[in-house]
Structure formats: structure tokens, C-alpha cells
Amino acid sequence: MKYLVDSREMQKYDANTISHFKVPGLLLMERAAIAFVEELHRQNVDLTEVLIVCGSGNNGGDGLAIARLLFLEGHAVTVVYAGNKEHCSESNRVQQDILNAYGISIYMDIPEKIRPTLVIDAIFGVGLSRDVTGEYADMLCRMNELSGEKAAVDIASGISADTGAILGTAFRADLTITFAFEKLGSILWPGNEYAGRIIVCDIGITKESWLGEPPTVMALEEKDFSILPKRKNHSNKGSYGKLLLIAGSVNMAGAAVLSAKAAYATGCGLVRVLTPGENRTILQCSVPEAVLTTYDKTLVPEEPVLREILDWADAIVIGPGLGKEKTSAQILNFVLEYGTSHENKAFLFDADALNLVAEQKNTGVQGADRWKNFKNTAVITPHLGEMSRLTGKTVGEIQKNLLQTAADFADENQVICVLKDEHTVTALPDHKRYLNLSGNPGMATAGSGDVLSGLIGALMAQKLTSYQAAPLGVYFHGLAGDIMVQTTGLQGLTASDLITGIKKVLNIYTQQ
């Protein structure tokens, strides 16, 4: 597990290290400068001619210290100060004095004829919360236009450390060398497009500096696969869970096929699919391992039939390719009512199940979102469009506040909200949030979400809690894509390839 921090958290942990653990701020600044320069060497950055632009805060102080270290190594360094020298932090002032003592000139503007091989941005740190305008904006634009590689100190200036928003204008880095913990703004879109490669360096601000208040956003790592269910020698198909997929509609059988195949690839013992009769032949040919219960598309299955198959299952996934016909809505409503009185069942709502809930809410239907009263916390897996319909917010508004939108919805509805985007957010109703760092653009393909639903459903059927299965399933899904894209390329990756990727991931991580 790794932790990702916002501006408030990083500033607090920095202050805790200084005040509680008595580590001098200047010492942390020196460690940051040393780590930055060492990383430049490890990355084989061309240091023939370096331009470093520093602001008046502690980020600028880091930059001034970096300039000194590079100067003492014998590199040609030009230091430019952006801001008012008289209104600077105390540590920044000390670093100015040190440069003056070494005879290193500090310019107030970028020299006209400079042709740097490296441009270092140390203007603003993580605390920036206002739009960059005027002389600062002009300075960032000029820096972006210069030749040479671009490197940012801690975070690229102009990026909100909290949301990834571009605050007016921003430095476009090829490399961001950050300290202690990764910053959310460098990972979330569009900030990630300005951050370049991100490297985290230890400077002495550690988990101890949390003082009992850890970051609220986490990202899973490979070692977190340790919670995957293990296969036992003495077992049978019933040992690995029973998953009910309520999926597919006429001309949309593929969603049910992909979800069922993904569930079996993830190790589920038995998958049952409730789908219209028109899909019987397709499913029997495509997923012969699946058990089928079919119904007339114009008639909802009788209550005893629905109750029997729901009672049979350990986990229920409803929505992939379901369609929005009257029968689909009736089945959904039965499942929603069932979930309010059965605490030993896991539920996941996806795709058309979410669209139907949104339609019912918008037309004033009472209890459309009954999942907030479930005995066992439900998982929902909306993409941005589905989330827009559920919340009434525009896609643009959601993208600007991805983490907060998911967290607010999870809290208000008491669900686990898996909000799918470039970096999918999994927000839990206990205020914990996961930001997924696996996956690639090739996964933006038809059926990818159906695979994810089947994967998470299979983990829940195998007795992982919903709180475990949702973030792990998202990470697992991304790794499957990362493995397969090495063979298929980004353009050629399909949802069916992801199912092969699931098997490859399991083969790697269950053998360790």
C-alpha cells in the first residue's frame, strides 16, 4: 500500500516533522536538494547548462539549494528569482544568503540568450490554491518554450496538489522529483499531463510524521495481492463461491459473456447467469461452464424463481448489458428490495442498473436508491456518464473533483463507489479512498467495464469483503491490461484480452 497526499496533509506532515520530532526545516530543505540532484544524475539528465527558476516560498528555497549543489559540482547554473525577495520565507532567505556568499548571481528575469539543457521549476509548492496570473504566468510560459528537458521540484507549478486542476497556467515537466509522498495533483487529470515521470525521494518525512492522522487516499501495490483467496487441496467448486450475474439483453449478450468469463478467470467456483432466452445459445456456446436461468424478455420471472436464484448466490452482480426495458427495471427493483433484508449477500450494481436507478430517481420513484439501506454495503461501478446521471452533475464538474464526487456519493448513499476514469477512484463510506495507478489507455474499449464487474463479483463470491474486493478488483483489472498491452499494443487491446490478462496476473501473484 502506498499513500498519496493532498496539500493540507503534506504541509501538516512537514510541520509535524519540524515541531514534534525537532528536525530543523533547513535540514529537510538540504535533504530535498541533495535527493533532487542525486536523482538528476540517476536519470542521466543533461546538466551542461541549467536554468532554475525559484519562488519566494520553501519550494523556491529548495530550488536555491539545488542551484548551489549543481554549481559546486561544476555545472553552469543560472538562477532566476520569481517574486519579491523581501517577502520570502525564512528558509528561503537563508538560502539566498548562502548563494550570495558563494558569489552565485541571482537574476530577476530569464536572460535572453540562454539555451538551457535543463529547466528546473521551483516557483510554487503544494500550497498553491489561486490561479497563476500576471508575471508568474508569463514566466511559466517562457520556461515552457525554452529548449532542454524540464524538471519540477516536488510538484509542477500551476497544478493544484489537491485536484490536479491547472490553475491558470502550469509548468510542463518531463520529470517531477517529489519528496516523502506522491502528490494527488500530479496523478489526477489533467495535472498528470504536466507532471511527466514522477519519482518519490525520501527526505526524512515518514509515516511517523502522521501522528495518528494518515492520508485518506491510498493506492494498492503488488504486495497487496496477498489477500487473494488461496486454492486448497481439499476443496470443490462450492469452496470458491457462487456468483449470480443478472446481465445481458437482446442483442447485448456480449456483456454477460465477458462478465461470466472474467468471473471464472478470477477463480469463482460457479457462475449463474440470469438473462433473456434469446441469449441462451450464445452463452452456452461462449461460456459452457455457466449455469443459465432465462426468462421471456416481456415477462419478469416469477418471484419464487428470483428469490431462489438470489438465495443460491454468495454475490450478485446486476447491470452489464441489462438494458432499460420494463422487465429489467422490475428485476432491479426486486434485487434492491432483497438487499435490504439479506446481510450475508454481496451486491454490485453496474451499467444499466445504475441508469435505471438514475431514471427512477429523476422521475420521483421512492426507494430507487435503496442500496443505502442494504444490510451489506453494496458496490456501484459508474463511468463518468453514469455518475453524471446519478448525481445531476456534468461530466466536466465530476472530472474537476473526481475524488470528492466519489467520496460524497459513497458517504451520502452508504455504498462503495468505484468511479471509473483514467485513474479510477474507489471511495468507501468510512471516508477511505483508493486511487488506482494500474492500467493504460488501451483499456478504453468496449466491454472493459463488464470484465471489471465480473472480476469484482468473483472476489466477493470468494468471501473477500466488498471493502477489499472493490479496490483490489480495480487494481487487478488494470494489471491485467498492463500485462496484455505488451502483446496487443494500445490500439489492439480488447476486453477479451483482459480475461487472458486476469489469468496471467493470477499465475504470477498466486505463485509467490
Side-chain angles (χ1 to χ4, degrees):
M1 189 93 66
K2 67 169 64 174
Y3 292 85
L4 313 172
V5 299
D6 61 21
S7 59
R8 183 196 65 80
E9 290 168 339
M10 192 62 238
Q11 289 170 330
K12 183 177 181 63
Y13 301 150
D14 184 88
N16 287 346
T17 306
I18 295 169
S19 62
H20 183 85
F21 293 106
K22 313 302 179 185
V23 179
L26 272 173
L27 177 58
L28 294 176
M29 189 171 281
E30 287 297 308
R31 286 178 173 176
I34 291 168
F36 192 95
V37 171
E38 289 177 346
E39 197 57 52
L40 291 179
H41 289 301
R42 272 192 288 269
Q43 298 298 316
N44 295 315
V45 177
D46 187 347
L47 301 174
T48 302
E49 185 168 356
V50 179
L51 169 67
I52 182 162
V53 184
C54 305
S56 57
N58 285 343
N59 188 256
D62 293 341
L64 294 169
I66 290 165
R68 167 172 40 89
L69 295 176
L70 290 173
F71 171 83
L72 293 175
E73 287 184 353
H75 304 294
V77 180
T78 300
V79 183
V80 174
Y81 201 92
N84 189 333
K85 286 185 179 181
E86 302 306 316
H87 296 85
C88 61
S89 69
E90 182 57 34
S91 295
N92 187 290
R93 189 182 304 281
V94 170
Q95 295 295 351
Q96 289 180 55
D97 292 341
I98 294 173
L99 258 62
N100 289 332
Y102 275 103
I104 301 171
S105 299
I106 301 177
Y107 298 88
M108 297 306 295
D109 200 0
I110 298 174
E112 287 291 333
K113 296 184 178 180
I114 193 168
R115 297 292 182 269
T117 58
L118 174 65
V119 180
I120 298 176
D121 159 40
I123 299 178
F124 301 116
V126 297
L128 182 68
S129 58
R130 65 187 186 281
D131 278 359
V132 179
T133 59
E135 294 181 358
Y136 287 111
D138 293 340
M139 182 70 76
L140 288 174
C141 289
R142 290 180 63 190
M143 292 163 66
N144 286 335
E145 292 168 356
L146 287 168
S147 60
E149 192 169 356
K150 310 293 194 302
V153 178
D154 205 23
I155 189 169
S157 291
I159 296 176
S160 165
D162 301 330
T163 67
I166 305 305
L167 301 174
T169 189
F171 183 71
R172 283 192 173 273
D174 302 301
L175 171 68
T176 295
I177 300 173
T178 194
F179 309 123
F181 307 102
E182 285 189 62
K183 313 306 183 291
L184 283 168
S186 294
I187 299 169
L188 292 167
W189 182 86
N192 58 356
E193 296 186 352
Y194 289 73
R197 306 188 311 280
I198 301 171
I199 297 170
V200 183
C201 293
D202 175 28
I203 62 168
I205 301 175
T206 63
K207 293 181 179 180
E208 284 72 21
S209 297
W210 298 346
L211 295 183
E213 295 184 30
T216 58
V217 181
M218 297 159 282
L220 296 185
E221 301 178 284
E222 293 177 358
K223 61 186 178 183
D224 293 304
F225 272 110
S226 61
I227 67 170
L228 278 173
K230 303 293 191 296
R231 306 296 276 201
K232 300 177 181 178
N233 291 331
H234 187 71
S235 59
N236 56 62
K237 62 189 177 186
S239 306
Y240 304 108
K242 293 177 286 187
L243 175 65
L244 172 62
L245 287 173
I246 305 175
S249 56
V250 178
N251 297 325
M252 287 291 288
V257 170
L258 290 167
S259 291
K261 283 189 170 184
Y264 272 125
T266 310
C268 190
L270 194 58
V271 178
R272 189 171 189 169
V273 183
L274 176 64
T275 193
E278 286 84 350
N279 294 334
R280 175 178 291 279
T281 301
I282 297 171
L283 279 158
Q284 285 180 328
C285 292
S286 301
V287 197
E289 302 90 346
V291 177
L292 298 184
T293 299
T294 60
Y295 61 92
D296 187 320
K297 65 181 180 180
T298 63
L299 296 172
V300 68
E302 294 182 358
E303 181 176 326
V305 174
L306 287 175
R307 187 169 299 281
E308 183 274 325
I309 60 175
L310 289 166
D311 287 345
W312 169 88
D314 297 306
I316 296 101
V317 170
I318 178 169
L322 185 65
K324 296 191 290 181
E325 292 79 11
K326 183 178 179 180
T327 50
S328 300
Q330 290 172 317
I331 293 170
L332 171 65
N333 289 334
F334 189 91
V335 172
L336 286 166
E337 183 60 35
Y338 182 91
T340 62
S341 58
H342 290 76
E343 62 184 21
N344 62 337
K345 306 290 182 182
F347 294 87
L348 184 149
F349 296 84
D350 182 35
D352 282 329
L354 301 177
N355 291 327
L356 284 166
V357 168
E359 282 188 2
Q360 292 178 9
K361 286 177 66 177
N362 292 335
T363 55
V365 174
Q366 295 297 314
D369 51 357
R370 277 168 287 183
W371 49 45
K372 66 177 62 175
N373 299 317
F374 274 24
K375 298 295 184 182
N376 189 15
T377 306
V379 178
I380 67 168
T381 56
H383 58 53
L384 295 177
E386 290 156 355
M387 196 65 178
S388 176
R389 290 185 278 277
L390 285 168
T391 61
K393 297 180 180 180
T394 67
V395 169
E397 289 171 333
I398 294 168
Q399 284 184 313
K400 286 180 182 178
N401 294 283
L402 197 73
L403 280 162
Q404 197 60 50
T405 300
D408 288 346
F409 196 91
D411 184 51
E412 291 165 9
N413 293 273
Q414 289 300 294
V415 295
I416 296 167
C417 181
V418 177
L419 181 51
K420 296 181 287 193
D421 196 30
E422 177 182 357
H423 292 298
T424 293
V425 176
T426 302
L428 311 181
D430 63 1
H431 307 299
K432 292 179 181 177
R433 294 170 288 173
Y434 294 85
L435 192 63
N436 185 51
L437 303 183
S438 65
N440 59 76
M443 297 175 69
T445 185
S448 180
D450 303 320
V451 171
L452 176 62
S453 294
L455 195 166
I456 296 175
L459 294 177
M460 294 192 302
Q462 293 174 80
K463 302 306 181 184
L464 264 65
T465 69
S466 300
Y467 286 74
Q468 295 172 315
L472 182 62
V474 172
Y475 178 61
F476 192 158
H477 184 247
L479 280 185
D482 288 339
I483 283 180
M484 294 308 298
V485 80
Q486 298 173 34
T487 301
T488 66
L490 290 173
Q491 287 80 3
L493 187 66
T494 66
S496 295
D497 295 322
L498 296 178
I499 295 166
T500 302
I502 289 171
K503 296 176 183 179
K504 289 178 178 287
V505 170
L506 281 174
N507 189 45
I508 294 170
Y509 295 107
T510 58
Q511 305 305 316
Q512 294 180 354

